[in-house]
Amino acid sequence: MGLPPAMALVVHLLSCLLGTGSWVAINGVWVELPLVVAAAPEGWLLPSYLTVIIQLANLGPLVFTLAHRFGRLGEVGVIYGVLALGCLSCLLLAFFWGSTSVVAGVPRSTALLALLFFLALVDCTSSVTFLPYMRRFQPVYLTTYFIGEGLSGLLPGLVALGQGVGTPQCHGNGSNTTGNYQAPHFSVQTFFLFLTAMMGLSLASFILLNHLPVAKKEREKETGYTKEDNALRAKVKAEKPSMVQGSAGRCFGSGVYSRPQLAYIFVLLAWVNALTNGVLPAVQSYSCLPYGHTAYHLSATLAALANPMACFLGRFLPSRSLVLLGGLSLAGSLVASYIMAMAILSPCPPLMRSSLGVILIVSSRQFES
């Protein structure tokens, strides 16, 4: 027997809040980079450093996977640890993001880079711990979790749009010209405190999911099913396997693919992920900043909004067409080529002082996201 609607809504809300903590920290840092880059001694190189840091942080999932495989390490304790680390790192980032120290005679944002590594470690590790934990609950709550995961990019983007971006303003004539920096609506510190609050809500929701009686009742392993329920669940599982091997190839959901088709799919996935998560973020400042701080700000924040919206749309318009998949990948590659060309031609790309240039670069970043 299911929970009353009001009680089920509580579990849905907690699942959603847990999902927001999955990538909210790094997504928030990406959308705040236009303001951080202006103050950090690394300047335009900072997005490249962040990309490398995120890749290094993938050691976290690898270590957890090996520990879980050979040491029987459970995900619950790890989730407590990574969420607490995320809260602490965001809080420290709010107060020390602008601190610098001299390394090899050059000023470096050592505190910022170190804290970004811990945040990336938190988010990367969440990918291999949050989902196994949510599988303990009834399947309907997994959908709610994914909604929260989408909000982890959407909410920071909306807040960053409300924050605005500082824009250089020139005063005076000739050699007496001076540049002032118009402050955004609220500071970088306030934005990082917002991220701290989001991580805190995610940690609190996880604690409640573990201990609230109403949440415990919704765990599949602790829910009593009748024989009819178990028979129905077994039938559904048998009719809809996640992946089975047959004579024609392999089956994902209702789509059957041959081995060459599977290779084609995975190659495209690897290529698209390399572009969207590695190459393009690393050159973001070089491709966008020449068109102005506003263009850079819009590219970063709207990209954070475009990704969850595209995922949301994909849930209602699913397609398994390999031709469509290849066409979209080709279109994305062409757009990525344009972005890379603008980065290579930086700091003086074409249409630099034109509104058309701003529209093209911002639109390109949204398409790639």
Side-chain angles (χ1 to χ4, degrees), residues 59-112:
L59 290 173
L62 177 61
V63 171
F64 170 78
T65 301
L66 293 176
H68 181 71
R69 174 65 179 83
F70 298 106
R72 304 300 179 185
L73 179 66
E75 66 269 7
V76 173
V78 176
I79 293 175
Y80 274 121
V82 297
L83 287 176
L85 179 61
C87 292
L88 179 60
S89 298
C90 285
L91 183 62
L92 293 175
L93 196 62
F95 295 98
F96 298 105
W97 72 271
S99 301
T100 60
S101 58
V102 178
V103 179
V106 179
R108 294 292 182 189
S109 304
T110 48
L112 174 65

Side-chain angles (χ1 to χ4, degrees), residues 16 55 59 78 112 117 121 153 172 227 301 352-353:
C16 183
Q55 305 313 313
L59 290 173
V78 176
L112 174 65
F117 172 78
L121 187 66
K227 292 182 179 180
T301 53
M352 187 174 66
R353 303 187 185 278

Side-chain angles (χ1 to χ4, degrees), residues 112-130:
L112 174 65
L113 295 175
L115 291 171
L116 289 181
F117 172 78
F118 288 119
L119 289 180
L121 187 66
V122 168
D123 290 1
C124 291
T125 308
S126 74
S127 299
V128 294
T129 54
F130 284 17

Side-chain angles (χ1 to χ4, degrees), residues 336-358:
S337 299
Y338 172 77
I339 296 173
M340 287 298 298
M342 297 305 101
I344 293 171
L345 295 173
S346 180
C348 299
L351 305 174
M352 187 174 66
R353 303 187 185 278
S354 167
S355 298
L356 178 59
V358 174

